[in-house]
């Protein structure tokens, strides 16, 4: 599995494993195209190649979308189980809202797929997913796990003996 940069490790095994999976998906997506960083469009590739790339991206996006829904529901279940919204509703709501925004942006890119512009969509997805990794994981997910650890500390501290 892809390695997670130490700064993004939350310490929660389940969440960290899923984030590793996300980095793996991003790598696979970039590998679809011969030059995802600089090609302006897919017009320089022959039709067979264009079709093959589009098909591959569509298939990977199916996996990506299933992963996103699964992963967000994992984190939101953890929040619910910990009754986080009862004590830190604002923190909880902001996190859930950001999940919805990410899912919506991915869907928006998917809706603009076009076999001559696959490389652009790959780039847009890569930028979006990188932002997710840096901003969302680095902020919301880290705060969630910090909050959970704190709560557990409080529960333990409150236990007799
Ligand atoms: Fe996450
Ligand atoms: Fe999250």
């Amino acid at each position: 599995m892809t390695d997670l940069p130490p700064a993004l490790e939350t310490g929660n095994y389940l969440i960290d494993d899923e984030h590793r999976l996300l980095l793996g998906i991003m790598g696979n997506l970039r590998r679809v195209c011969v030059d995802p960083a600089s090609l302006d469009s897919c017009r320089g590739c022959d039709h067979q190649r264009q079709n093959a790339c589009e098909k591959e991206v569509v298939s990977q996006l199916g996996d990506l979308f299933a992963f996103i829904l699964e992963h967000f529901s994992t984190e939101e279940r953890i929040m619910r189980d910990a009754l986080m919204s009862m004590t830190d509703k604002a923190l909880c709501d902001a996190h859930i809202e950001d999940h919805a925004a990410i899912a919506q942006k991915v869907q928006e890119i998917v809706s603009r797929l076009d076999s001559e512009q696959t490389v652009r969509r790959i780039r847009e997805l890569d930028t979006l997913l990188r932002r997710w990794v840096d901003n969302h994981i680095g902020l919301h997910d880290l705060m969630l796990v910090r909050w959970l650890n704190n709560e557990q500390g409080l529960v333990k501290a409150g236990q007799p003996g």
Side-chain angles (χ1 to χ4, degrees), residues 19 71 75 141:
H19 289 161
H71 176 63
E75 289 184 356
D141 294 354

Side-chain angles (χ1 to χ4, degrees), residues 23 25-36 60 122 126 130:
L23 292 181
I25 293 175
M26 288 167 67
N28 291 342
L29 197 61
R30 280 194 299 267
R31 277 189 290 273
V32 172
C33 178
V34 284
D35 189 2
Q60 286 197 21
I122 290 177
D126 196 56
R130 269 175 211 264

Side-chain angles (χ1 to χ4, degrees), residues 80-145:
R80 263 197 316 277
D81 288 352
L83 303 178
M84 188 179 181
S85 68
M86 288 178 70
T87 48
D88 281 285
K89 190 164 174 11
L91 199 66
C92 203
D93 286 352
H95 193 159
I96 294 172
E97 271 166 34
D98 206 40
H99 283 171
I102 293 167
Q104 199 204 328
K105 280 183 203 140
V106 172
Q107 244 169 346
E108 193 266 326
I109 294 174
V110 172
S111 72
R112 289 188 291 110
L113 278 175
D114 163 347
S115 59
E116 287 194 350
Q117 300 294 344
T118 305
V119 66
R120 286 187 180 219
R121 300 297 97 87
I122 290 177
R123 242 185 336 258
E124 289 166 5
L125 278 163
D126 196 56
T127 306
L128 172 66
L129 298 178
R130 269 175 211 264
R131 228 181 295 142
W132 169 5
V133 169
D134 294 338
N135 299 348
H136 183 91
I137 297 179
L139 179 72
H140 292 288
D141 294 354
L142 280 174
M143 280 204 306
L144 166 62
V145 176

